[in-house]
Amino acid sequence: NERINVDYGQQDLLNYFIDDFLLEFTDETRKRDGLSVLLDLNTPDDGSIRISGVYGRTKRDFITYIRDYPSNGGGDEDGHPSYNYRDRELEIQTFNGSMRGDNNLLGFSVNWSLSFAESQSFYPFDYQMIFVEPSGMNPSPMVQSKPEQLIDYAVNDFALASLKWQYYRSQDNYDKERTGALNVAKKYFYGEMISGELKAGGKFRVKERSNARREDLTPYYLGRWQTHERMPDGSIRPKDFTGTAFEEWLESGGGFIGLNYFLAPKADKRNIYGSYSLNPMLIRDHLRQWWSLNKNGMNASGTQLEVWVNPLIRYDDHFVTERILSTYVMNTLNFGQALTVIAGVRIENEVNDYQSTFMPKPVAGFPVSAASISDTTSSYHQSVVLPNINIAFKPFDFMNLRLAAYKAIGRPDFNMRLNRFIAGRPAESTTQHQIYVGNPSLKTSQAWNFEINPTFHHGSFGLISVSGYYKEIRDMYHMLNNFNTVGDEYLDYFGITWRSQLGGTAFNLTLPYNSPRPTKVWGVEFEHQMNFHFLPQPLNNFVLTYNASAVRSETWLY
């Protein structure tokens, strides 16, 4: 995969220029394998049972090379070119199994199902290195087009492009779902004009989700490389780089290391889209070797670690169990061919448990103590009654009329309800303080829907359909993303009991909330279809179709 990105800057409101040209290349090997089993069984009651199982696995092995050509303030936070390399392995496993039956028992139609689904994705390896070249660009003009012009102004002194950051990350995401459903139906007849079907049933679903992330980092630009390492037995010894790509570098004194030690004698490069030079592409084995040699680094006394843990990455850690039980009853009533009324009600009950993370006190800078993050639990339960009615009426041979009124729900994403509170600043010292808040009281949205749909059909004009609808959604959920504020005024406004504890320091607030007023959607649609079968050939083969619609929506956001 190849990508480019062009960033722009401005001298004033009228004059703009390209201040950064970024190139990216991802080289990936992907393997997939799987197995599926399908089995259909006929039963003595003229029914059937279907059994299925599907297993799949995907392995991804990929490395991403990124570099930029900045001009006049582009590049990293200091305006310098950066070289970014990230080496990853990802494995995804899924399994789905189900049993479904359509059977007949004592005059009733019985439909049932049981299913199980499981998926897991994890990173066996995820390592990133970022190098920065302090004087990596010669003075360049402020070009407004053809960003490739900046490439010729690059110095490309890779010995001076020193390692600034390293990150080692891991993530394990797991999802398991078990469901069961039972539907029982019975048809009935009263004379020649009245018929129908009575149907009842229920469904349950239990879903478990978990996510665990970790990020280890080293700010090498602060001189954090260490001369010793801790062994598995707990002892501390000088690092041994004998026979590695960095033996000569260590003999010269160690300390800051340049990108040149990760390159072949004649560095590889790639022309993105065949035109733009991404230079250089490091040796992948050298990247992994560096991590292996230094991941346990520390000073001689064992008081200073080379690799620090970033606990702020745990803001999205969670373990969630969602349980939903629903029951329903519905009746279809036919009065001859002219009128059909379908009415019913469904009751849904959800009981959810959440485990997430919170931070009792805000932190700033790094390293951040792992004790800054703790676990917290919360729960949510709600019962909702959902009625519905549909009417189909045929007053004339050329006209059909359908009316519908029903209530529906929309559940927010589970991570919106996590009792989460993380306050701090990521490792990069120039970034703003961040506060991520969950809302355990976030309500499920409920919507009333009303529809009317008359249709007219005749050989002389074809088919004309007109549809009108109105939807009103209460408690629609939204996200307040990176809202810049100071103090606890908005935490109080949204009913959040956590305190920011940042005093007069500004921060970006992210939290979910229910809309204070109903969201409304309404509109009308018109459609006409006509067949020209009454015309002579070849015109009788043409069909005319056209439609028009007018839709309006209204929602309230903070």
Side-chain angles (χ1 to χ4, degrees):
N1 181 56
E2 298 179 337
R3 295 173 56 189
I4 66 171
N5 187 69
V6 181
D7 284 337
Y8 293 88
Q10 281 182 299
Q11 291 177 294
D12 51 51
L13 288 176
L14 299 179
N15 297 311
Y16 68 92
F17 60 92
I18 297 173
D19 68 357
D20 203 8
F21 182 40
L22 185 144
L23 307 178
E24 178 179 325
F25 169 58
T26 299
D27 190 11
E28 176 174 352
T29 299
R30 187 177 301 178
K31 295 182 180 180
R32 291 191 179 98
D33 49 55
L35 175 69
S36 62
V37 177
L38 305 174
L39 188 63
D40 289 351
L41 303 174
N42 295 323
T43 57
D45 59 350
D46 293 329
S48 65
I49 297 177
R50 296 176 295 281
I51 303 173
S52 69
V54 180
Y55 170 79
R57 181 176 63 180
T58 300
K59 288 186 175 182
R60 300 179 59 192
D61 187 355
F62 56 113
I63 182 170
T64 300
Y65 307 85
I66 303 175
R67 77 149 296 168
D68 63 346
Y69 296 94
S71 169
N72 302 285
D76 74 345
E77 64 268 16
D78 297 316
H80 305 141
S82 63
Y83 306 84
N84 193 328
Y85 307 95
R86 190 170 181 181
D87 186 2
R88 283 171 283 181
E89 296 176 11
L90 170 63
E91 184 168 335
I92 303 171
Q93 299 180 11
T94 61
F95 174 76
N96 294 273
S98 68
M99 294 180 61
R100 296 181 55 193
D102 291 297
N103 301 104
N104 301 288
L105 179 65
L106 303 176
F108 291 88
S109 298
V110 181
N111 172 271
W112 58 273
S113 66
L114 295 170
S115 64
F116 174 84
E118 183 180 56
S119 67
Q120 183 180 23
S121 65
F122 57 93
Y123 287 87
F125 188 83
D126 183 353
Y127 183 56
Q128 182 180 15
M129 305 180 79
I130 300 175
F131 298 82
V132 172
E133 187 179 357
S135 301
M137 293 293 292
N138 292 309
S140 60
M142 292 186 177
V143 299
Q144 294 184 328
S145 62
K146 298 181 179 180
E148 63 272 19
Q149 297 178 73
L150 298 175
I151 295 177
D152 293 335
Y153 292 90
V155 175
N156 292 331
D157 189 343
F158 304 133
L160 293 181
S162 62
L163 180 59
K164 183 174 183 179
W165 287 97
Q166 79 167 5
Y167 297 91
Y168 186 85
R169 302 178 177 95
S170 65
Q171 181 174 7
D172 191 341
N173 191 283
Y174 180 74
D175 194 306
K176 180 171 67 175
E177 179 176 290
R178 290 152 288 175
T179 62
L182 175 66
N183 303 291
V184 179
K186 176 70 174 179
K187 293 183 178 181
Y188 59 84
F189 302 90
Y190 293 102
E192 297 182 356
M193 290 296 296
I194 298 178
S195 65
E197 182 181 55
L198 182 63
K199 194 173 183 180
K203 182 178 182 179
F204 76 88
R205 185 186 75 183
V206 179
K207 193 176 187 70
E208 296 177 354
R209 314 170 190 256
S210 65
N211 184 64
R213 295 201 300 169
R214 180 184 174 96
E215 181 179 83
D216 299 335
L217 61 98
T218 305
Y220 277 114
Y221 74 99
L222 295 179
R224 306 314 297 184
W225 182 79
Q226 304 296 332
T227 57
H228 290 63
E229 64 179 338
R230 185 182 296 278
M231 304 302 294
D233 61 2
S235 61
I236 298 175
R237 72 166 192 183
K239 292 178 180 177
D240 183 7
F241 285 10
T242 304
T244 70
F246 312 106
E247 181 177 3
E248 179 183 343
W249 168 80
L250 184 62
E251 291 175 352
S252 65
F256 294 97
I257 186 169
L259 177 56
N260 57 307
Y261 284 98
F262 296 83
L263 307 179
K266 184 178 180 180
D268 292 335
K269 58 183 178 180
R270 183 181 182 89
N271 286 333
I272 303 301
Y273 300 147
S275 302
Y276 313 120
S277 178
L278 195 163
N279 179 32
M281 295 169 59
L282 53 65
I283 300 174
R284 191 177 189 183
D285 288 342
H286 288 190
L287 178 149
R288 295 196 173 204
Q289 190 179 81
W290 176 265
W291 169 247
S292 177
L293 292 169
N294 294 282
K295 61 183 179 181
N296 299 314
M298 59 180 52
N299 61 1
S301 61
T303 58
Q304 179 68 264
L305 296 177
E306 181 170 340
V307 179
W308 300 341
V309 177
N310 177 19
L312 294 179
I313 200 69
R314 291 189 56 205
Y315 79 90
D316 198 31
D317 283 9
H318 58 259
F319 185 88
V320 177
T321 301
E322 300 172 308
R323 309 172 191 87
I324 299 175
L325 176 64
S326 65
T327 59
Y328 76 93
V329 61
M330 61 180 292
N331 182 56
T332 301
L333 183 62
N334 301 307
F335 296 91
Q337 301 294 319
L339 178 63
T340 297
V341 179
I342 303 174
V345 62
R346 186 170 87 252
I347 301 175
E348 291 209 2
N349 181 62
E350 62 175 314
V351 179
N352 305 327
D353 295 321
Y354 306 96
Q355 179 178 309
S356 52
T357 55
F358 80 104
M359 179 178 290
K361 294 182 179 180
V363 297
F366 54 93
V368 178
S369 170
S372 302
I373 302 288
S374 303
D375 292 333
T376 184
T377 60
S378 61
S379 62
Y380 182 86
H381 58 85
Q382 183 178 13
S383 295
V384 183
V385 179
L386 305 170
N388 71 86
I389 184 170
N390 284 265
I391 300 174
F393 181 47
K394 189 173 184 179
F396 309 105
D397 289 341
F398 62 87
M399 177 183 177
N400 292 319
L401 177 64
R402 190 181 72 85
L403 304 170
Y406 57 95
K407 193 176 183 182
I409 61 174
R411 293 188 178 88
D413 194 81
F414 69 92
N415 56 29
M416 290 183 172
R417 286 178 174 161
L418 298 178
N419 193 22
R420 174 173 61 201
F421 183 83
I422 300 294
R425 189 173 66 192
E428 290 80 355
S429 59
T430 58
T431 56
Q432 177 77 296
H433 281 79
Q434 306 286 329
I435 291 187
Y436 303 93
V437 183
N439 189 348
S441 301
L442 194 68
K443 298 177 182 178
T444 295
S445 65
Q446 303 183 37
W448 269 108
N449 301 267
F450 303 94
E451 301 175 12
I452 180 171
N453 175 224
T455 58
F456 308 89
H457 51 88
H458 192 272
S460 61
F461 57 78
L463 175 65
I464 296 176
S465 174
V466 181
S467 299
Y469 53 89
Y470 174 80
K471 179 194 296 283
E472 183 172 296
I473 308 172
R474 294 190 177 273
D475 297 323
M476 189 62 200
Y477 43 84
H478 302 282
M479 288 293 295
L480 187 72
N481 286 307
N482 288 319
F483 181 77
N484 188 267
T485 184
V486 178
D488 298 326
E489 176 184 359
Y490 288 98
L491 292 174
D492 294 335
Y493 185 85
F494 288 103
I496 304 300
T497 59
W498 302 106
R499 302 294 87 191
S500 68
Q501 302 187 47
L502 291 176
T505 302
F507 61 89
N508 290 340
L509 176 63
T510 297
L511 61 79
Y513 64 91
N514 291 112
S515 182
R517 303 187 190 182
T519 294
K520 301 176 182 179
V521 182
W522 63 95
V524 62
E525 297 179 352
F526 172 85
E527 184 172 4
H528 182 208
Q529 299 180 32
M530 186 172 183
N531 191 318
F532 293 98
H533 59 86
F534 53 84
L535 295 178
Q537 290 186 349
L539 298 178
N540 61 349
N541 294 317
F542 284 89
V543 176
L544 172 67
T545 301
Y546 62 94
N547 60 67
S549 62
V551 182
R552 182 175 176 84
S553 63
E554 178 183 285
T555 191
W556 292 82
L557 303 173
Y558 288 112

